[in-house]
Amino acid sequence: AHLSQLVMKSSLKSSLVSRSALLRSLALGTVFTATRRPAIAAYTIVPTGSVRDKTARLAEVEKLYAKTPDDPYAFGEKAQLEYDIRQLEQNTKFVASTREQVRAGSTRFLQRLRVPVDDMREAVQFWREGCGALVLSTRIVDGANVTVVGFGPESLRRDDGAKFALELVESSEPAPMGGDHALQYVQLAMPVFRLSRVMAAGGKIESAYGWTQLTAPGGLPLRVRIDESRRGPFVFVAGRVS
C-alpha cells in the first residue's frame, strides 16, 4: 500500500531565543514574586495576535523592565514578546506569499481536515489541555456539534493566519481510521508535548521512542515529534491511496 502525504508549508528558521529558555525565565517569577499576576504575554504553543499589538505591548514592557530590571515577570514577558514578534513577522511573510499564490491559482492551500468524534467534550479537552490548541469556532449543524480547533486562525489576511485546523464533527458513528482505512494518521511537530498531560486529557499512547505514536479521543491516529522550528504544529495528513 502507498501513502499520500499532504504537506503543510509550515517550516521556518529556528529562533535565536529557544522556547525552553522562555519557559524557564517565566517560571522564575513563581519563585521570587509569587504574589504577582502572571505576565500578559503568556507562553503559547504558537504565537497568536498581531505584530502591531505585540509591538505596542513590548514598548510598555520595556519601560517597566528599564525601571525594574530584576523583576522576573518583566523579563519573561519582554522575552516572550520579542520571540512572538519575530515569529509573527516571519509568519506574515508566509501568509502574504501564500495569499498571492492562491489568488493567482498557482497553488492550493490545505486548511482543514474534518474528523468525526463520538464525544465532543473529550475531543476538545484533548486538543486544548493535552496539546495546547485553541477552539476557533463552535456551531450546531443539523443538530450536531461542529467545533474547529487549531493553533491559530486559518485566514490568509492575518499576521498569525494560514494555520491548518481540525473540524471535529460530533457523530454516533465515527469513521474508521488507521489500519486499512483511507485516513492513516496526522503528523505533528510541536515545541512542547508533555505525555503526562496528553494522557490525562484522554490520549492513548502507543509508543514514545524518538517520536510519539498515539490515538486521540474519537480514534484519530497521531504521530508527534518535538520541533521548535516550525510555523505551525500540523505537518501532513497521511492517507492510503491504494
Side-chain angles (χ1 to χ4, degrees), residues 58-143:
L58 178 59
E60 297 175 357
V61 173
E62 285 178 332
K63 293 178 181 178
L64 177 61
Y65 180 68
K67 294 179 181 178
T68 56
D70 295 328
D71 183 345
Y73 277 102
F75 172 78
E77 185 173 5
K78 177 175 176 292
Q80 182 70 65
L81 285 165
E82 290 171 342
Y83 174 88
D84 287 357
I85 290 170
R86 281 194 297 271
Q87 295 300 97
L88 287 171
E89 287 176 339
Q90 293 183 67
N91 194 77
T92 299
K93 295 177 182 178
F94 175 85
V95 170
S97 174
T98 301
R99 183 173 62 245
E100 291 307 313
Q101 292 178 45
V102 170
R103 180 181 298 169
S106 60
T107 190
R108 294 183 179 182
F109 187 71
L110 182 64
Q111 292 181 291
R112 185 182 297 187
L113 173 68
R114 177 174 293 184
V115 179
V117 296
D118 55 0
D119 190 315
M120 185 61 73
R121 185 192 64 79
E122 289 184 356
V124 171
Q125 176 179 295
F126 169 79
W127 285 103
R128 287 188 61 187
E129 300 178 13
C131 301
L134 306 171
V135 173
L136 303 179
S137 67
T138 298
R139 66 189 192 281
I140 301 298
V141 179
D142 296 329

Side-chain angles (χ1 to χ4, degrees), residues 126-127 130-131 178 184-188 190 193-195 197-208 211-217 219-225:
F126 169 79
W127 285 103
C131 301
Q184 289 291 291
Y185 62 89
V186 175
Q187 174 91 26
L188 296 95
M190 304 176 66
F193 191 68
R194 298 178 180 174
L195 295 184
R197 181 174 295 178
V198 170
M199 290 187 288
K204 297 181 180 180
I205 306 297
E206 298 164 16
S207 65
W211 50 275
T212 303
Q213 181 172 323
L214 70 152
T215 301
L220 178 62
L222 303 174
R223 296 186 183 184
V224 183
R225 61 183 173 83

